[in-house]
Amino acid sequence: MTIYQNLIAGEWTGAEAVENINPSDTKEVVGLYASGSAADTRNAIAAAKAAFPAWSRSGIWERHVILKKAGDEIMARKDELGALLAREEGKTLPEAIGETIRASQIFEFFAGEALRLAGEVVPSVRPNIGVEITREPLGVIGIITPWNFPIAIPAWKIAPALCYGNTIVFKPAELVPGCSWAIVDILNRAGLPKGVLNLVMGKGSIVGQTMLDSPDLAGITFTGSVGTGKRVAVSSIEHHRKIQLEMGGKNPMVVLDDADLSVAVEAAANSAFFSTGQRCTASSRLIVTEGIHDRFVAAMTEKLKTLNVDHALKTGTHIGPVVDERQLKTDTDYIEIGKKEGAKLAFGGELISRDTPGFYLQPTLFTEATNQMRISREEIFGPVASVIRVKDYEEALAVANDTPFGLSSGIATTSLKHATHFKRNAEAGMVMVNLPTAGVDFHVPFGGRKGSSYGSREQGKYAAEFFTTVKTAYTLA
Ligand code: ADP
């Protein structure tokens, strides 16, 4: 089997490799992917550092053309790349193709942004002096990504980094190197100069840790667990490095008595169970007021009966497998914890077998949960959600905000008053009214508050905040 190698200083390299396994069918090896060493990582950082002066001064047309070519190729290959994504990560083929299209759109967006780079010219408060405010590239950026969005997250970090003139050392998650390799191959062929984008696949404890320990990374943009995010933060203080962290969520979805029941159920089922609940914006706390509680639970249970859990590539599958054995154990451990804490298992909770050996778990719904239970406080990252019964809107809002996280927050209501109040008072970076907590646009800011995020927003124009540094220049006329 060919080894998909790392790209360091413009050369494909690496003989050590690991198998990329399909969670829908653990007998299938998706490919062999290089596993980089600390020395590889240091070489990649040195290459990115050497490539920075020229790339930081590259013309905006050159950046535009490369980003546009990448976006176009990803779109042209959406079915093939979507299938690769579904095979390595386990989300359903339509979800995977949707994510691939989004990655293409992100490259198109930043191809456009490259042509719109601008500064400000303002008068000085002193006579005969002019002031210019410009944005300059930050330097070498470390990009560390998780397994749950194998193509979209790399895209939304790589595209702005290149657009604003930075060079990159990119380390994708061990479980899903395939889509990352494909993006890097596409960008490399699109004409990026050697060393501008370096790919080092491999272990977090080796490749990732070597990046954290390097004094040569001007910034690290990271998406992953709270624990690793904290390590990125602590190491970055020591190296005086800019950081952007996206970590966990425990997102609430409030359902009020006046909600349209079908809208509420569609939004809640999507939030909690689509992409196998493995989205940082997934909702695992369904906070439901008394008057609609029983009808909501009955309708949710009926809805869950209609969702097929099966092979990600099979037509008609609504929910793919859990990503791997370790995550499956976390999910089933939390199901046991929920039962012991006194929540009532209203649906699911069982492992299921299908035609192929994979990590199949039923969508699982608890009722009679409280917000103090561990299943309501800790991120599970699987197809497991709990219904928390509350008296009224005021209690619902208080419970929604009573969490260490603050990424996304949803409400189902037909009341303009409650929707407006919730938008203003939800302690989250993103608020959804009558929509799932997950599922966001690519051209507007993404990010959260409290324990979910640290640093400036990702995506859209707001990405410039992280990927550039501001200069104020004064000239005597
Ligand atoms: P998860 O538990 O969901 O896999 P992680 O935070 O462990 O979340 O993984 C997110 C990314 O961080 C992955 O690319 C992983 O390899 C990387 N990572 C893990 N440990 C470290 C570390 N010590 N230093 C840097 N990166 C790491």
Side-chain angles (χ1 to χ4, degrees):
M1 225 182 211
T2 356
I3 297 178
Y4 292 91
Q5 292 176 302
N6 285 323
L7 184 68
I8 298 172
E11 305 299 329
W12 293 105
T13 161
E16 284 280 305
V18 291
E19 291 181 340
N20 180 356
I21 302 290
N22 181 347
S24 297
D25 179 357
T26 53
K27 292 195 306 299
E28 191 201 353
V29 178
V30 177
L32 278 182
Y33 288 83
S35 189
S37 63
D40 291 334
T41 314
R42 284 192 286 269
N43 290 340
I45 294 170
K49 196 175 169 187
F52 180 71
W55 182 250
S56 68
R57 288 193 293 272
S58 59
I60 56 172
W61 183 248
E62 182 183 0
R63 297 183 207 170
H64 167 83
V65 167
I66 292 169
L67 293 169
K68 173 94 176 61
K69 263 193 193 170
D72 289 348
E73 182 171 339
I74 294 169
M75 190 64 92
R77 293 171 56 193
K78 66 180 168 39
D79 294 337
E80 171 216 336
L81 293 173
L84 170 65
L85 198 168
R87 283 165 67 217
E88 69 177 351
E89 199 268 355
K91 65 182 66 173
T92 67
L93 187 58
E95 289 173 330
I97 293 174
E99 187 185 326
T100 307
I101 292 171
R102 184 163 160 211
S104 159
Q105 290 165 327
I106 290 166
F107 278 101
E108 298 285 345
F109 178 86
F110 283 104
E113 283 301 281
L115 298 181
R116 282 189 286 268
L117 293 177
E120 290 176 79
V121 177
V122 297
S124 167
V125 291
R126 291 169 283 164
N128 302 325
I129 291 177
V131 184
E132 292 159 29
I133 304 162
T134 51
R135 286 189 177 276
E136 295 187 351
L138 194 59
V140 181
I141 305 280
I143 295 180
I144 302 178
T145 57
W147 50 260
N148 64 331
F149 283 93
I151 198 161
I153 295 180
W156 83 52
K157 293 181 190 295
I158 292 172
L162 295 175
C163 166
Y164 298 115
N166 301 283
T167 57
I168 299 172
V169 177
F170 168 37
K171 184 238 166 301
E174 297 94 305
L175 287 178
V176 292
C179 289
S180 293
W181 189 92
I183 293 196
V184 171
D185 171 52
I186 288 169
L187 281 161
N188 187 44
R189 284 186 289 98
L192 270 185
K194 282 181 195 300
V196 171
L197 171 61
N198 301 275
L199 170 71
V200 194
M201 299 173 284
K203 288 201 165 91
S205 57
I206 298 172
V207 177
Q209 192 59 46
T210 306
M211 290 167 71
L212 266 47
D213 294 340
S214 169
D216 291 327
L217 297 181
I220 292 186
T221 173
F222 165 86
T223 302
S225 65
V226 173
T228 309
K230 283 193 177 152
R231 295 173 85 107
V232 176
V234 170
S235 69
S236 297
I237 288 170
E238 196 178 333
H239 294 295
H240 201 77
R241 179 197 292 144
K242 200 167 172 183
I243 50 172
Q244 180 179 57
L245 311 177
E246 290 298 341
M247 299 168 288
K250 196 69 195 173
N251 308 296
M253 169 92 216
V254 169
V255 179
L256 296 186
D257 286 356
D258 62 27
D260 177 321
L261 187 62
S262 62
V263 167
V265 168
E266 284 306 313
N270 178 319
S271 303
F273 302 114
F274 286 13
S275 296
T276 322
Q278 298 174 152
R279 295 182 286 190
C280 43
T281 46
S283 175
S284 48
R285 295 187 298 140
L286 309 174
I287 301 163
V288 186
T289 49
E290 264 164 8
I292 198 170
H293 179 277
D294 293 355
R295 278 182 296 139
F296 174 79
V297 169
M300 270 299 275
T301 313
E302 284 309 306
K303 172 78 186 174
L304 293 186
K305 285 182 194 158
T306 69
L307 298 180
N308 303 323
V309 181
D310 210 328
H311 196 297
L313 294 180
K314 213 173 198 173
T315 311
T317 297
H318 299 105
I319 301 176
V322 171
V323 73
D324 72 348
E325 197 158 14
R326 191 181 67 141
Q327 183 60 49
L328 185 66
K329 173 150 184 358
T330 303
D331 298 349
T332 51
D333 284 353
Y334 272 110
I335 292 169
E336 288 312 307
I337 289 168
K339 287 184 201 159
K340 286 206 187 87
E341 285 180 309
K344 185 174 149 225
L345 189 61
F347 189 89
E350 299 292 330
L351 297 180
I352 35 187
S353 56
R354 289 292 178 254
D355 293 344
T356 47
F359 307 113
Y360 299 110
L361 175 63
Q362 286 181 311
T364 301
L365 186 69
F366 282 109
T367 53
E368 311 305 335
T370 71
N371 200 44
Q372 301 317 316
M373 291 176 177
R374 283 183 61 194
I375 53 167
S376 303
R377 302 212 76 76
E378 297 167 19
E379 186 175 48
I380 301 172
F381 222 63
V384 184
S386 314
V387 177
I388 300 170
R389 188 198 300 256
V390 291
K391 197 162 75 282
D392 53 17
Y393 168 71
E394 282 69 29
E395 189 184 352
L397 176 66
V399 170
N401 286 339
D402 177 11
T403 167
F405 296 106
L407 187 57
S408 179
S409 195
I411 189 167
T413 179
T414 52
S415 153
L416 180 62
K417 183 177 132 193
H418 286 140
T420 306
H421 190 271
F422 191 79
K423 278 191 275 185
R424 289 208 189 117
N425 293 283
E427 293 169 4
M430 295 173 292
V431 183
M432 311 291 184
V433 178
N434 292 321
L435 287 167
T437 53
V440 296
D441 285 4
F442 63 86
H443 67 309
V444 289
F446 176 93
R449 299 181 185 177
K450 302 202 273 188
S452 291
S453 304
Y454 193 88
S456 55
R457 289 285 183 269
E458 303 200 75
Q459 302 198 55
K461 284 188 174 304
Y462 284 66
E465 200 53 46
F466 177 73
F467 290 100
T468 62
T469 179
V470 171
K471 179 173 278 173
T472 313
Y474 298 80
T475 312
L476 178 64

